[in-house]
Amino acid sequence: MPARSEYVSDVLIIGSGAAGLSLALRLASSGCKVVVLSKELLQEGATFYAQGGIAAVFDETDSIASHVNDTLIAGAGLCDPQSVEFIASNARHCVQWLIDQGVVFDTETSTMGKERYHLTREGGHSHRRILHSADTTGKAVQNTLISKTTTHPNICVKERCNAVDLITSSKIGLPGTKRVVGAYVWNRELERVETFRTKALVLATGGAAKVYQYTTNPDISSGDGIAMAWRAGCRVANLEFNQFHPTCLFHPSARNFLLTEALRGEGAYLKRPDGSRFMFDFDPRGELAPRDVVARAIDHEMKRLGTDCMYLDISHKPADFVIQHFPMIYEKLLSLDINLTTDKIPILPAAHYTCGGVMVDQHGRTDLDGLYAIGEVSYTGLHGANRMASNSLLECLVYGWSAAQDILTLLPREKLADKLPKWDESRVDNSDERVIIQHNWHELRLFMWNYVGIERSTKRLERALRRINILQQEVNEYYANFRLSNNLLELRNLVQVAELIVRCAMERKESRGLHYTLDYPNQVSSPQPTILAP
């Protein structure tokens, strides 16, 4: 498709991970014309870097009821049981669809001599139900979906494009019910804003972990979809629940390298600097406790001992076993002069997953007609107060399927809006003070880490909100006066999402799951989701 200032499609999908690409393939296979926007190159999303796997019931000793129960327990009383049942019940056929696309999961030979999938176990799971491709499952999934979407005649993929804002019917004066009709998009290669007209628009932009100083996520995880949906009038929920992955490598040359939970699932221990284990001091499940418990335990021990990190140790397992199951991690650590089979690995918690997001129903529909949100950007009720390991890629696949079904019934009734107004930048200049963006960027991520991190208090949250209000004024003024850039767009969205995170945290007068506050250490008897409306 040649470069031009306006694009037209049946469906515009903003985001190119497992959720966005699986949805694109399902729609395109039914004849829809689909445009997929990728903020970076297609391999740079969170899906590509996912190590662990996808949770689904494939073992005959396992059951959907058990998967549901484990998820509800991990979610600390805040999951939506109907949503959990819906996703767990549709897991197998959605994973099978992925297998049919060409994703190869690891297999093993049973004692009866039959080949079966090798299922691993991770924190919170009572059974082995994690399908994986060694320790690079996300890479296998993403590469397969990329190969399918980039060669499909009904799909146009545009890389290095940042969505700026959604265009709604009310914004351009159209009569009738307010609905989404398109989006303004910053083309980074051409350094211009392009207009996209569409019948349905899907946000599959991922989470907002980049709002924190330390994160396992790639740089693109800046909460863009959450911020755009909020500005367009959609509700958000449960944004106080930011999951911190317990085991991010602590190393100056690999600050966001994740050490998969499957390491603990296969027997790795968490240890203090003196070599003693500590998880059983905090939870009878030890290293296999849910992530919120493990992350708080590590944070507690680091602060108590005044150390920079704790350690992950799987050296007691046979070297061949470790290398076979974790080849990518083994090679990566060797490049940093660390031997996974013999050494203790320095780790610390880092922001990993946004459990809340844009409120949607079981088809990914938001509050705004024609607008859908799927994957980490959304709040479905699956994760509650804490996400159970390997349920995230599953949620992407199930909602890629359910949203496709709904969109296919919607499209025949929808008409494209007439030509949309072009982006107006006649009153802005080129900035000669981009250092302001960098300064504000670093300030935001640092105080979010210190004040709205693993452990919080009312005073810290109030302090963070005051700083956010000041930053919002500066960013909005900058946005109004200067031409766009990638960093400006991300900062604008991060500051907005930071405000929503803090407001949600201030609403919750208890400690539950991923939200722990010193002022309200106990749990209330009837917890409810935290819902914010524009």
Side-chain angles (χ1 to χ4, degrees):
M1 189 179 287
R4 55 184 184 271
S5 60
E6 183 179 77
Y7 293 83
V8 178
S9 62
D10 292 323
V11 183
L12 173 63
I13 300 173
I14 303 175
S16 56
L21 295 188
S22 63
L23 172 63
L25 279 175
R26 289 182 181 274
L27 292 172
S29 298
S30 296
C32 294
K33 298 296 183 182
V34 181
V35 172
V36 176
L37 299 182
S38 181
K39 186 171 163 184
E40 252 302 341
L41 301 180
L42 285 171
Q43 287 88 353
E44 283 303 306
T47 294
F48 185 84
Y49 294 101
Q51 295 174 7
I54 305 173
V57 175
F58 273 74
D59 189 282
E60 60 185 19
T61 66
D62 197 3
S63 67
I64 291 172
S66 178
H67 189 180
V68 169
N69 189 57
D70 291 346
T71 301
L72 293 175
I73 292 171
L78 264 186
C79 298
D80 179 341
Q82 288 185 321
S83 177
V84 176
E85 179 77 30
F86 172 72
I87 293 168
S89 298
N90 287 291
R92 182 157 184 161
H93 78 82
C94 288
V95 173
Q96 185 60 52
W97 176 86
L98 197 60
I99 294 169
D100 294 341
Q101 304 308 305
V103 176
V104 178
F105 292 109
D106 287 4
T107 58
E108 63 180 0
T109 303
S110 71
T111 54
M112 303 296 290
K114 293 182 179 180
E115 187 176 49
R116 63 187 181 189
Y117 289 112
H118 178 269
L119 304 173
T120 191
R121 183 182 172 193
E122 296 180 343
H125 291 272
S126 59
H127 291 77
R128 287 181 171 267
R129 65 169 67 99
I130 315 301
L131 290 91
H132 63 101
S133 180
D135 56 349
T136 54
T137 305
K139 182 178 180 180
V141 170
Q142 185 74 359
N143 283 343
T144 299
L145 294 177
I146 288 173
S147 69
K148 293 284 187 176
T149 52
T150 54
T151 56
H152 201 291
N154 288 338
I155 300 175
C156 169
V157 177
K158 289 178 62 65
E159 295 178 308
R160 294 177 63 78
C161 287
N162 297 56
V164 179
D165 264 321
L166 307 179
I167 304 173
T168 61
S169 56
S170 60
K171 184 180 294 186
I172 60 174
L174 295 179
T177 304
K178 180 180 177 181
R179 61 173 289 104
V180 67
V181 295
Y184 290 119
V185 176
W186 171 248
N187 185 318
R188 301 224 303 275
E189 297 293 339
L190 300 177
E191 294 192 342
R192 71 178 187 188
V193 175
E194 298 169 339
T195 306
F196 287 74
R197 268 192 299 152
T198 189
K199 295 179 181 178
L201 191 150
V202 183
L203 297 171
T205 52
K210 198 175 176 180
V211 77
Y212 289 102
Q213 183 180 25
Y214 299 108
T215 175
T216 65
N217 283 203
D219 280 344
I220 63 172
S221 302
S222 51
D224 305 329
I226 297 170
M228 286 188 291
W230 174 262
R231 290 195 291 264
C234 295
R235 292 173 299 163
V236 298
N238 277 18
L239 283 170
E240 70 269 35
F241 298 115
N242 300 279
Q243 186 174 75
F244 290 81
H245 197 287
T247 53
C248 181
L249 179 65
F250 178 68
H251 193 284
S253 300
R255 294 182 60 186
N256 66 343
F257 184 68
L258 176 69
L259 292 162
T260 174
E261 189 161 329
L263 280 160
R264 285 177 283 131
E266 295 297 343
Y269 299 146
L270 285 166
K271 295 182 176 181
R272 301 180 181 93
D274 65 3
S276 60
R277 293 174 67 185
F278 59 87
M279 273 311 305
F280 283 104
D281 296 343
F282 295 88
D283 194 283
R285 292 165 289 188
E287 280 81 2
L288 289 178
R291 289 178 178 176
D292 60 324
V293 177
V294 179
R296 278 201 305 275
I298 294 171
D299 184 65
H300 178 275
E301 289 299 285
M302 287 170 55
K303 289 175 177 174
R304 183 177 72 84
L305 297 173
T307 60
D308 293 328
C309 65
M310 290 288 114
Y311 293 87
L312 187 70
D313 188 0
I314 198 170
S315 63
H316 53 281
K317 291 286 186 177
D320 290 346
F321 172 88
V322 174
I323 295 170
Q324 177 188 350
H325 283 78
F326 307 104
M328 183 274 291
I329 295 176
Y330 176 75
E331 292 295 333
K332 174 68 175 180
L333 293 178
L334 275 186
S335 72
L336 300 170
D337 295 323
I338 301 172
N339 190 326
L340 182 62
T341 66
T342 60
D343 299 337
K344 293 188 299 181
I345 316 303
I347 54 91
L348 82 171
H352 182 61
Y353 193 87
T354 307
C355 288
V358 183
M359 292 191 71
V360 298
D361 65 9
Q362 285 189 352
H363 292 287
R365 291 180 294 215
T366 70
D367 295 330
L368 182 60
D369 282 1
L371 179 65
Y372 295 74
I374 59 175
E376 191 177 352
V377 67
S378 68
Y379 166 75
T380 65
L382 171 65
H383 306 305
N386 179 42
R387 177 178 73 87
M388 190 168 70
S390 292
N391 269 351
S392 51
L393 286 178
L394 174 62
E395 184 182 43
C396 291
L397 296 175
V398 171
Y399 273 79
W401 161 73
S402 66
Q405 291 201 318
D406 195 69
I407 290 170
L408 290 172
T409 63
L410 167 79
L411 288 181
R413 305 193 303 268
E414 297 300 329
K415 293 182 179 180
L416 283 165
D418 292 334
K419 193 169 184 178
L420 302 177
K422 290 186 177 181
W423 181 259
D424 181 12
E425 57 176 17
S426 60
R427 293 185 290 267
V428 298
D429 298 315
N430 289 317
S431 172
D432 58 357
E433 294 185 274
R434 292 192 178 184
V435 67
I436 295 173
I437 297 178
Q438 291 300 112
H439 175 79
N440 288 351
W441 184 289
H442 293 306
E443 180 183 356
L444 173 69
R445 298 180 74 195
L446 180 60
F447 72 66
M448 285 296 289
W449 180 263
N450 288 332
Y451 300 155
V452 201
I454 294 173
E455 189 177 88
R456 303 157 180 184
S457 69
T458 301
K459 183 177 291 185
R460 293 175 191 174
L461 294 174
E462 291 172 345
R463 187 172 296 151
L465 190 58
R466 286 196 297 270
R467 303 282 282 277
I468 289 169
N469 289 336
I470 294 171
L471 283 182
Q472 281 181 320
Q473 294 174 12
E474 293 182 6
V475 171
N476 289 339
E477 180 181 353
Y478 195 101
Y479 180 79
N481 289 291
F482 298 111
R483 287 193 170 88
L484 301 182
S485 67
N486 179 63
N487 285 351
L488 173 58
L489 290 173
E490 288 193 337
L491 178 62
R492 178 186 181 224
N493 291 332
L494 281 173
V495 171
Q496 178 60 76
V497 174
E499 180 206 346
L500 297 175
I501 291 172
V502 172
R503 284 176 56 190
C504 282
M506 294 177 77
E507 289 277 331
R508 186 161 295 281
K509 307 300 185 183
E510 64 164 349
S511 290
R512 182 178 298 274
L514 301 165
H515 174 73
Y516 183 80
T517 171
L518 297 173
D519 294 293
Y520 302 96
N522 300 317
Q523 295 186 349
V524 299
S525 57
S526 300
Q528 298 295 323
T530 307
I531 299 173
L532 301 180

